[in-house]
Amino acid sequence: MKQIFIHSKYIKLDQFLKLSDCVSTGGMAKALLQEGAVLVNDEKEERRGRKLVPGDIVKVEDCGTFQVAAQ
């Protein structure tokens, strides 16, 4: 599991997907979420604006598993 460090209290899921190099644009993030390819804390997530906080686990199909970490 790879840790992705953030410098604020939270990060939105679409921004996190870009930061973790799973997608390169917001449109790609939207499509990935609509396909059901993203799990947050083992629950399917479709909201781009979902706020992630340190400790959350994000699993992305064909990309990997990531943990949100505080800097």
Side-chain angles (χ1 to χ4, degrees), residues 12-61:
K12 291 185 179 179
L13 182 54
D14 59 346
Q15 295 172 332
F16 181 83
L17 292 172
K18 289 188 275 187
L19 186 62
S20 62
D21 291 327
C22 290
V23 299
S24 56
T25 67
M28 289 175 70
K30 182 179 179 180
L32 193 65
L33 290 165
Q34 287 177 340
E35 292 171 8
V38 179
L39 299 176
V40 176
N41 298 326
D42 291 322
E43 294 182 12
K44 184 177 160 186
E45 185 58 68
E46 296 179 347
R47 298 173 293 167
R48 289 187 299 164
R50 162 81 186 256
K51 292 180 181 178
L52 303 174
V53 296
D56 283 343
I57 305 294
V58 180
K59 294 180 184 175
V60 183
E61 191 174 295

